[in-house]
Amino acid sequence: MPHTTVPTSLAEDGTDPTTVERLMRAAAQAFAEKGFHATTTRDIASGAGLSPAGVYVHFGSKEELLFNLSRRGHESALRLVREALEGVDAPAARLAVAMNRFSRWHAEQYQLAKVVQYEHQHLTPEHRAEVLALRKDIDALVRQVLEGGVAEGVFEVTDIADTALALLSMAVDVARWYSPTIKRTPAQIGETNAALALRLVGARS
């Protein structure tokens, strides 16, 4: 499974980050393959090489594990898109790089991404609100890129919100169908989606 970002040193409460990492990887794999409800804490513990009770040493519930995966996944994707946009000024180039990186992330981290995008409805209202706020931040980035292109007359977009939704949906859907067994690489998927995005907005050079 692709690497899930976790702390690299002992937490203040003495938690062993290597154990937390194993649990998060095992949870991401199980949630992606079986879904949240069908996954048991025994499944997660087994995947991490722990006893069933080992899960509760680090996480209060299965939902808390899902929340940590969802939050970290969204934070990772948001950070990568922001970094990709740094120093890029032309609207078409900004849209291409944002779509490329966001799409690639959904392929490179396909198991985590599938959980992040399709299992968040199982979070508690409070946790879901925090995760949805991060989703709105990603949406806001894409909207800003589109607004910049429209303002400069290089994009033909009549509805910024609907177009942003269509673009993000195209990238998110990668996590649903991607598999390492297919011939297309994450880089190729990113390039294809970037090109499709530019065509969707009628980008002019």
Side-chain angles (χ1 to χ4, degrees):
M1 174 184 168
H3 183 72
T4 300
T5 303
V6 296
T8 56
S9 60
L10 284 176
E12 291 181 3
D13 62 1
T15 300
D16 181 355
T18 59
T19 301
V20 171
E21 181 175 6
R22 294 205 314 273
L23 282 168
M24 293 187 73
R25 289 185 181 186
Q29 182 173 9
F31 291 154
E33 293 177 353
K34 303 174 69 174
F36 177 77
H37 280 312
T39 297
T40 66
T41 53
R42 184 179 294 276
D43 293 330
I44 297 169
S46 177
L50 300 172
S51 68
V55 174
Y56 297 106
V57 173
H58 304 284
F59 296 95
S61 65
K62 188 174 67 168
E63 187 276 339
E64 187 179 325
L65 234 176
L66 175 63
F67 169 59
N68 276 270
L69 282 171
S70 298
R71 180 180 58 190
R72 293 186 183 192
H74 279 90
E75 288 174 344
S76 175
L78 177 60
R79 181 175 62 254
L80 288 173
V81 174
R82 280 176 172 163
E83 290 174 352
L85 288 170
E86 289 180 0
V88 181
D89 297 320
R94 285 175 63 79
L95 180 59
V97 75
M99 283 297 295
N100 187 322
R101 196 65 195 90
F102 197 49
S103 298
R104 276 176 53 198
W105 182 84
H106 282 82
E108 292 167 347
Q109 301 286 342
Y110 68 99
Q111 288 183 319
L112 175 60
K114 187 175 181 180
V115 174
V116 163
Q117 300 295 357
Y118 297 108
E119 297 294 329
H120 64 85
Q121 70 270 20
H122 302 301
L123 295 170
T124 64
E126 180 180 3
H127 285 166
R128 191 184 317 77
E130 185 171 338
V131 167
L132 290 179
L134 292 168
R135 293 170 78 92
K136 288 180 181 178
D137 287 342
I138 296 173
D139 178 73
L141 282 179
V142 175
R143 290 192 189 202
Q144 288 169 9
V145 172
L146 293 175
E147 289 166 355
V150 170
E152 292 191 26
V154 296
F155 291 169
E156 295 181 3
V157 174
T158 55
D159 191 310
I160 296 291
D162 283 352
T163 303
L165 177 60
L167 292 170
L168 290 171
S169 296
M170 180 167 60
V172 165
D173 195 51
V174 171
R176 180 184 58 80
W177 56 260
Y178 178 79
S179 168
T181 62
I182 68 174
K183 293 183 178 179
R184 297 175 67 197
T185 66
Q188 289 172 328
I189 292 168
E191 291 172 1
T192 296
N193 281 3
L196 289 172
L198 292 176
R199 290 176 60 185
L200 181 64
V201 301
R204 302 190 188 94
S205 56

